[in-house]
Amino acid sequence: MPLVNTKEMFEKAYKGGYAVGAFNVNNMEIVQGITEAAAELKSPVILQASKGARKYANSSYLIHMVKAASENFPELPIALHLDHGDSFELCKACIDDGFTSVMIDYSGHPYEENVAVTKQVCDYAHDVKARGRYITVEAELGTLAGVEDEVAVEFGKSSYTDPNQVEDFVKRTGVDSLAIAIGTSHGAYKFKPEQCTLVNGVLTPPPLRLDILDEVSKRLPGFPIVLHGSSSVPQEYVKIINENGGALPNAIGIPENELREASKRAVCKINIDSDLRLGLTAGIRQHFAEHPDHFDPRQYIADGRANVKAIVAHKIKEVLGSENKA
Ligand code: G3H
Ligand code: 13P
Ligand code: ZN
């Protein structure tokens, strides 16, 4: 099937009490690992590309790789989404290139600017007469902490979403889904060990603010909510990396049971990037440690790809609840 937008995906996810995984893609092996897992488990999936991914891989490579995956798995509903678009121009470029969904992230700007630019993107994306199709738009209220390539908010400068703003924002912009800040953050270092408590031998971070999620969904009944920064930083992969020449001290993520709880409520899209980076890196590092004589990328990247596939399969079954929902 052709690439789809997220409208029907989210309607079904909301009603079904599950979420669709939105996984960041930067190269062919990541696209393959994600879509092989989704196809085997018959799960809808969102492949998302950031501004940094476009810079690294070139937009047309990304689009063609995602279309190739869609041709390989014709039964699989796949959306191609722009992650953290930071301007109308970038969103427009992606829409014109064939993306089926975009995020305009003006959450770091004053509220009225966020409203104005999000509305501008929605007006363009939703103009079916002019575009020939409906492109779904995600926006954000509240700011997540964390640092990645093109997304950087210092810890301490983040803020939870204010539920008092959400109805006004959605009404005035016409946005299709809303990312909210309830305690998740970007990257592999979401919490400091001193913020966590030891529960059954596991460092456990402070819980997500599900009360804010519930307050938001009370004001926006039936409306799809998005969680960014939702990697769980699997300690088995961190250990493999650290035992094979890496140095990722004190990497801590979001407990998976909390994400599953959120996906049973109004959260319809859960963003995961760091976990795939960790899996890919662990596979490659372990491969080199075990086979120091190898220099064929097909050998070592394949091990990274196998980890990406295993992680996505685990997320679909244990975190998202989206198995057999394609
Ligand atoms: O939330 C951000 C994504 O993980 C993308 O990160 O800008 O380093 O590609 P990136
Ligand atoms: P993680 O860094 O937790 O994987 O978050 C990814 C994300 O939010 C992409 O938009
Ligand atoms: Zn994000």
Side-chain angles (χ1 to χ4, degrees):
M1 72 174 79
L3 299 176
V4 298
N5 67 25
T6 58
K7 200 146 195 81
E8 194 183 323
M9 275 185 186
F10 290 169
E11 277 163 17
K12 288 184 178 165
Y14 200 104
K15 284 190 197 124
Y18 63 91
V20 180
F23 301 99
N24 287 71
V25 295
N26 292 281
N27 66 17
M28 182 186 76
E29 286 78 5
I30 297 175
V31 171
Q32 291 173 327
I34 298 165
T35 50
E36 281 173 21
E40 277 175 27
L41 295 171
K42 298 185 171 51
S43 165
V45 71
I46 298 166
L47 301 185
Q48 55 186 13
S50 67
K51 187 176 174 178
R54 289 177 93 243
K55 200 156 70 184
Y56 172 76
N58 179 318
S59 189
S60 75
Y61 279 91
L62 291 170
I63 293 165
H64 283 93
M65 286 190 294
V66 171
K67 287 191 173 158
S70 174
E71 278 170 29
N72 264 284
F73 303 113
E75 309 297 319
L76 191 65
I78 302 177
L80 172 57
H81 176 78
L82 168 68
D83 191 27
H84 293 285
D86 61 358
S87 66
F88 169 77
E89 289 71 26
L90 175 57
C91 293
K92 179 181 179 303
C94 288
I95 291 168
D96 294 348
D97 280 353
F99 279 55
T100 56
S101 181
V102 294
M103 174 190 194
I104 174 70
D105 182 1
Y106 242 58
S107 60
H109 297 257
Y111 179 76
E112 286 300 328
E113 284 178 37
N114 193 359
V115 169
V117 177
T118 301
K119 181 173 179 340
Q120 190 187 10
V121 173
C122 289
D123 288 348
Y124 189 79
H126 295 166
D127 189 345
V128 178
K129 254 199 198 145
R131 314 269 93 72
R133 59 203 175 93
Y134 186 97
I135 295 99
T136 40
V137 181
E138 171 187 329
E140 180 167 320
L141 271 179
T143 46
L144 272 67
V147 179
E148 304 217 351
D149 205 9
E150 299 281 348
V151 184
V153 177
E154 280 173 47
F155 281 87
K157 293 212 169 131
S158 59
S159 61
Y160 292 119
T161 301
D162 177 358
N164 292 316
Q165 291 181 328
V166 299
E167 276 172 284
D168 179 71
F169 186 82
V170 169
K171 210 181 289 166
R172 286 171 63 197
T173 59
V175 77
D176 301 284
S177 63
L178 186 66
I180 64 168
I182 59 168
T184 63
S185 57
H186 289 114
Y189 299 91
K190 300 186 190 301
F191 305 96
K192 297 202 170 74
E194 53 270 28
Q195 291 175 282
C196 303
T197 42
L198 211 55
V199 181
N200 301 327
V202 180
L203 272 185
T204 307
L208 293 181
R209 292 288 306 273
L210 293 177
D211 57 315
I212 297 179
L213 170 63
D214 288 344
E215 197 51 48
V216 167
S217 52
K218 214 186 280 171
R219 291 159 195 241
L220 296 173
F223 190 82
I225 301 301
V226 177
L227 281 191
H228 281 248
S230 297
S231 276
S232 295
V233 189
Q235 293 302 304
E236 64 267 35
Y237 292 108
V238 174
K239 189 162 177 274
I240 292 171
I241 291 171
N242 288 339
E243 284 175 355
N244 290 284
L248 300 178
N250 299 325
I252 302 171
I254 310 291
E256 289 187 335
N257 60 329
E258 292 189 54
L259 295 167
R260 181 68 191 107
E261 189 51 47
S263 74
K264 288 178 185 163
R265 304 183 189 198
V267 170
C268 295
K269 173 174 180 272
I270 290 190
N271 284 15
I272 296 169
D273 184 2
S274 298
D275 285 357
L276 303 190
R277 297 179 183 199
L278 291 167
L280 190 75
T281 303
I284 293 170
R285 277 198 180 277
Q286 189 166 24
H287 188 99
F288 279 137
E290 288 168 4
H291 306 281
D293 56 325
H294 280 184
F295 62 96
D296 181 341
R298 292 173 297 186
Q299 294 172 315
Y300 58 84
I301 305 183
D303 282 2
R305 178 175 60 189
N307 283 352
V308 168
K309 182 176 174 181
I311 291 168
V312 172
H314 170 80
K315 299 289 177 187
I316 288 170
K317 289 196 271 196
E318 307 297 336
V319 180
L320 303 159
S322 62
E323 189 176 5
N324 289 322
K325 307 292 187 189

